[in-house]
Amino acid sequence: MKGLWGNRDFRLLWTGETTSMLGSMVASTALPLVAVVTLRASTFQVALLTAAAWLPWLIVGLPAGAWVDRLAKRPIMLTCNTVSMAVFGSVPLAAAFGVLTMPYLLVAATLGGFAKVFFTLAYRAYLPSLVGADELLEGNAKLQGSESATEVAGPGLAGLLAQVFGPVSGILADAVSFGVSVLCVRAIRGRETVIAVERTPLRSQIAEGLRFVTGDRYLRTLTVFGAVSNIALTGYGSIQIVFLSRTLGAAPGLVGLVLALGSTGGVLGAALVGRLGARFGAARAFLLCEAFVAPMGLLGPLSRPGWGMVPFVLALFGVCAGLVASNILTMTFRQQYCPPELFSRINSSAAIVNYGTIPLAGVLGGALGEAIGVRETLWVMAGVLIAAFPVLLPFAKLREFPARAEGRPPRRLPQPT
């Protein structure tokens, strides 16, 4: 074996998260399909599912970062995946007993969202403890690559399950995948270390993370850009199944196929990111990826029934390719650039803005879809995505990302847990 494939603990993390991500990708298609096909939900109600899943970032994002910085990361990950398994496992049970409703789906999406907040912050801080600093790009690329592969397989599998067993079966698959992830993470042998931090009041710790983000021009730029682009991407994505299913008349299986084909772009982005970074420099490659993403959304609303759905596949393919490569580059940058004892607080401070716009965008996408039409809303969101690109001008003169934050605090010695 070469590289990180020779690292047993990394393989376990990769296996568990790949399985979990596959389940989540199935559920991301299955939940709206249940709403559209089984519960006959409106466009606005379907978009609310996206809003509900991301609302917890607005509610607990900031304190979650401070809590995660204080604690060992692996127990947090195990707890979150166990909660998610129970929450999503209850949905098919509710369907079996005939009590599944839209409010039930919204509550499940929200509870799963709370678990995802803590898991995401812990997971991103945990990876550097398993791999060396010079292996972070490889680790992120492998994890993001497998996530992209699940984005290809997930919608298609969700469509197939919905066609054969009904839409709710995809949510059951998601619950099972969380169980597999729990087993894999529990099997990791490496001793985790927690960076010793002073036990100051929670409010002070939250403020420290916020000050770091707002005072650093690169992190501040990425945060603002992420917020604006997420409005466009989420508003677009929150109604895409409604667009494919109702506007274009696609059956559940075809919806899954279209989303799966488009998502193959993410696999390409993960495969090429290392070469792009080496050829152009990480910062310049990041800008090129985002410049590629911006106009691709314009192809989606050109779609028509039948073979006329090809533009939508191309739009999704291009967006996924650029975004996956971009995300790998910026995540590696943050993991190397940010002080480890502040990492989760810095991430949560940025996420409260980045991810906090997602529930708002989900509501906006649904409201606009009902007010001006689904196709017209796709045009609006594609325009917002293009308008977001100039925010990245501070990176225009860089070839590589800076390796160390200005005024970065000295690294504290880790304490074994």
Side-chain angles (χ1 to χ4, degrees):
M1 292 186 181
K2 295 182 179 180
L4 287 177
W5 294 132
N7 182 326
R8 175 187 179 276
D9 286 345
F10 177 81
R11 291 200 311 272
L12 283 167
L13 180 69
W14 179 87
T15 301
E17 290 322 297
T18 299
T19 305
S20 175
M21 287 185 288
L22 177 60
S24 295
M25 288 302 107
V26 170
S28 70
T29 301
L31 276 169
L33 278 176
V34 169
V36 170
V37 177
T38 305
L39 301 179
R40 306 296 178 184
S42 68
T43 299
F44 182 72
Q45 288 176 318
V46 174
L48 279 181
L49 283 172
T50 300
W54 292 95
L55 180 63
W57 282 102
L58 281 173
I59 299 173
V60 298
L62 288 176
W67 287 325
V68 169
D69 270 338
R70 294 177 174 182
L71 303 170
K73 311 303 181 286
R74 190 171 72 142
I76 296 174
M77 295 163 62
L78 289 170
T79 300
C80 292
N81 276 345
T82 301
V83 169
S84 296
M85 178 177 62
V87 167
F88 290 110
S90 73
V91 173
L93 285 177
F97 286 101
V99 295
L100 184 62
T101 62
M102 269 307 297
Y104 195 105
L105 272 188
L106 289 169
V107 169
T110 303
L111 292 176
F114 276 107
K116 187 175 180 63
V117 168
F118 287 91
F119 180 88
T120 299
L121 293 171
Y123 172 61
R124 289 177 178 173
Y126 187 59
L127 179 62
S129 70
L130 293 184
V131 304
D134 58 341
E135 297 174 316
L136 277 175
L137 181 60
E138 180 190 354
N140 283 318
K142 282 180 165 56
L143 289 165
Q144 191 70 57
S146 63
E147 180 175 352
S148 299
T150 65
E151 289 173 354
V152 175
L157 181 57
L160 177 63
L161 289 172
Q163 202 81 40
V164 178
F165 301 107
V168 76
S169 60
I171 304 174
L172 176 61
D174 188 28
V176 172
S177 75
F178 281 115
V180 173
S181 181
V182 167
L183 294 175
C184 289
V185 174
R186 282 182 62 88
I188 293 175
R189 294 174 183 167
R191 291 190 67 190
E192 183 185 353
T193 58
V194 178
I195 302 297
V197 296
E198 186 179 351
R199 289 284 177 161
T200 55
L202 186 65
R203 182 180 299 177
S204 299
Q205 293 195 7
I206 291 171
E208 190 176 7
L210 283 169
R211 282 195 301 270
F212 198 99
V213 173
T214 57
D216 186 284
R217 60 175 173 165
Y218 299 117
L219 296 177
R220 185 172 63 243
T221 296
L222 289 175
T223 299
V224 173
F225 174 75
V228 179
S229 61
N230 278 342
I231 290 174
L233 293 168
T234 305
Y236 201 103
S238 67
I239 59 172
Q240 65 182 5
I241 288 180
V242 177
F243 178 65
L244 293 170
S245 180
R246 289 182 178 165
T247 304
L248 303 186
L254 183 56
V255 170
L257 178 62
V258 168
L259 297 179
L261 290 173
S263 296
T264 57
V267 179
L268 179 65
L272 294 181
V273 66
R275 295 179 184 178
L276 290 173
R279 173 68 177 83
F280 299 104
R284 196 168 294 170
F286 160 65
L287 284 179
L288 289 172
C289 290
E290 292 294 347
F292 179 71
V293 167
M296 293 304 295
L298 295 172
L299 294 174
L302 295 174
S303 301
R304 294 292 185 269
W307 285 103
M309 293 184 193
V310 170
F312 195 93
V313 174
L314 294 176
L316 187 58
F317 182 93
V319 169
C320 288
L323 282 182
V324 166
S326 170
N327 288 340
I328 292 170
L329 290 165
T330 53
M331 177 49 60
T332 303
F333 162 60
R334 286 188 174 97
Q335 288 168 335
Q336 294 174 333
Y337 183 77
C338 300
E341 66 271 21
L342 290 172
F343 185 75
S344 294
R345 278 172 283 170
I346 291 171
N347 264 319
S348 65
S349 297
I352 197 71
V353 180
N354 286 347
Y355 297 158
T357 60
I358 291 180
L360 303 178
V363 172
L364 178 63
L368 283 177
E370 293 198 341
I372 66 175
V374 175
R375 190 187 302 272
E376 291 75 11
T377 301
L378 294 181
W379 283 115
V380 170
M381 295 304 169
V384 173
L385 188 59
I386 292 173
F389 185 74
V391 174
L392 296 174
L393 285 176
F395 290 98
K397 296 182 179 180
L398 299 179
R399 174 180 170 82
E400 299 288 349
F401 287 120
R404 182 184 180 91
E406 295 179 5
R408 176 171 171 169
R411 188 183 287 255
R412 296 183 176 95
L413 294 176
Q415 302 296 318
T417 57

